[in-house]
Amino acid sequence: MDFIDLKSQYAALRDNINARIQAVLDHGQYILGPEVKEMEAALNAYTGARHCISVASGTEALLICLMALDLQPGDEVITSPFTFAATAEMIVLAGGVPVFVDIEPDTANIDATLIEAAITARTKAIMPVSLYGQVADMDAINAIAGQHGLTVIEDAAQSFGASYKGKKSCNLSTFGCTSFFPSKPLGCYGDGGAIFTNDDQLAQACREIRTHGQSQRYLHTRIGVGGRMDTLQCAVVLGKLDRFEWEVSRRLALGEAYRAKLHAAIPGLQLLAVRDDRDCVWAQYTVFVDDREAVQGKLKAAGIPTAVHYPRPLHHQPAYARYGRPEDCPNSIDTARRVLSLPMSADLTDAQQDQVVGALAQALG
Ligand SMILES: *Cc1c(COP(=O)(O)O)cnc(C)c1O
């Protein structure tokens, strides 16, 4: 069993994806070719956002919109310490200071009720992470940001396709940043990502930063990066879009089935809470266990691959320890000790899921 089954997905979409790739090889416009705009338009239609700027990766998406905000040294960006390192990494790289605010113990997303206390005169932005494919409490976060004149950047690397109060992730705040890393809910066959915004000026800034700060060819009006997503990768995303709606509904159904089956087989097991006003596209299907290493070992012996997202909160990582005290964010510390991700992808079969649930029940005795 694969942890994330990309082979079955390719088998189902093979003709579509091959034809899309072949078309790029035939026209030869490998950088900013027609598929780039076509994909951006398709993703605008999907998310409802006015602008989509495709970029080299999810990491680059975060960097480019932070660069568009023109952070000054010492400017602070509030985020969660329980995330992939890229979130805080890009804040530092853009010249800012990450300020870690603890998570809710049941959803593992930033606790919006703790944000206000972390705001200072230097705060410029809030960067909530839609962890595992579930959006944080964006209405509350946007309201706080509005009161304090802050920008909200959703790190939606794991949540493309997710919904919050009837709107799509990536179109819930000033910026939404997603990733097309192969294992994400919408993946390409290499690195890729996108920025979404409804702000015309910020969109223009991001477009310029994406291509070395050029407002026209060889006119460099700002500092930028080489941050484009290449045409071949956009073609792969386009090749996958035809089935994406089905994949999202299958992910939601598998999440619900995991919940029901795990609840029946292992009554005491703590599962991730999903709030009533949103869904979770389960970039990872993550549960909470004690004695994680032993459980992982037993699952491995039973042929079930697992992973840990993430084993340490960022303020316990050597590179980020200076941005907090060890005892800060206790929910993040406890969660990092207990999370365990199970096999998940749209092509996971019901029989495979039963096998995972059975093996986990055995492993937990
Ligand atoms: C994957 C991920 C990123 C980075 O995306 P890449 O495309 O790999 O650069 C950033 N933040 C989170 C939460 C992620 O899961």
Side-chain angles (χ1 to χ4, degrees), residues 10-246:
Y10 178 59
L13 294 168
R14 187 189 175 92
D15 291 348
N16 218 6
I17 292 173
N18 286 6
R20 283 288 190 171
I21 290 174
Q22 188 61 52
V24 178
L25 297 176
D26 288 338
H27 68 55
Q29 296 177 56
Y30 300 114
I31 300 295
L32 297 179
E35 284 79 4
V36 177
K37 277 216 162 74
E38 186 184 348
M39 183 197 78
E40 291 175 348
L43 300 184
N44 279 337
Y46 185 83
T47 59
R50 185 134 52 124
H51 300 281
C52 171
I53 302 103
S54 61
V55 292
S57 67
T59 303
E60 206 75 15
L62 296 171
L63 177 64
I64 290 172
C65 52
L66 285 163
M67 288 175 76
L69 296 183
D70 202 17
L71 295 185
Q72 300 303 306
D75 282 350
E76 295 170 357
V77 179
I78 292 172
T79 192
S80 161
F82 189 61
T83 177
F84 181 58
T87 315
E89 186 179 37
M90 292 306 108
I91 294 170
V92 177
L93 202 58
V97 176
V99 173
F100 294 126
V101 163
D102 207 3
I103 57 170
E104 302 170 333
D106 59 343
T107 66
N109 275 331
I110 194 166
D111 186 339
T113 66
L114 302 177
I115 289 176
E116 199 129 39
I119 293 174
T120 72
R122 301 305 309 265
T123 308
K124 283 288 165 344
I126 308 171
M127 192 183 274
V129 181
S130 301
L131 201 73
Y132 304 140
Q134 175 179 211
V135 172
D137 197 351
M138 289 302 269
D139 275 359
I141 293 168
N142 284 326
I144 295 164
Q147 277 157 26
H148 296 269
L150 309 177
T151 301
V152 178
I153 302 167
E154 181 194 5
D155 181 344
Q158 301 184 7
S159 61
F160 193 82
S163 297
Y164 172 87
K165 301 187 181 180
K167 287 181 80 178
K168 286 289 182 190
S169 171
C170 292
N171 186 27
L172 299 169
S173 53
T174 314
F175 288 114
C177 293
T178 199
S179 164
F180 306 122
F181 188 82
S183 61
K184 308 282 173 155
L186 179 59
C188 57
Y189 288 159
D191 279 308
I195 300 165
F196 295 86
T197 185
N198 291 313
D199 185 306
D200 298 346
Q201 276 185 327
L202 288 173
Q204 183 58 27
C206 289
R207 263 184 230 290
E208 291 177 15
I209 293 167
R210 174 177 74 175
T211 315
H212 305 287
Q214 296 177 94
S215 55
Q216 41 180 286
R217 195 160 200 203
Y218 300 131
L219 182 63
H220 302 270
T221 49
R222 54 167 87 236
I223 299 300
V225 293
R228 294 165 304 233
M229 178 167 171
D230 51 78
T231 313
L232 277 169
Q233 297 304 340
C234 292
V236 172
V237 169
L238 284 167
K240 289 192 181 188
L241 274 182
D242 290 349
R243 204 183 74 144
F244 188 64
E245 269 308 325
W246 174 82

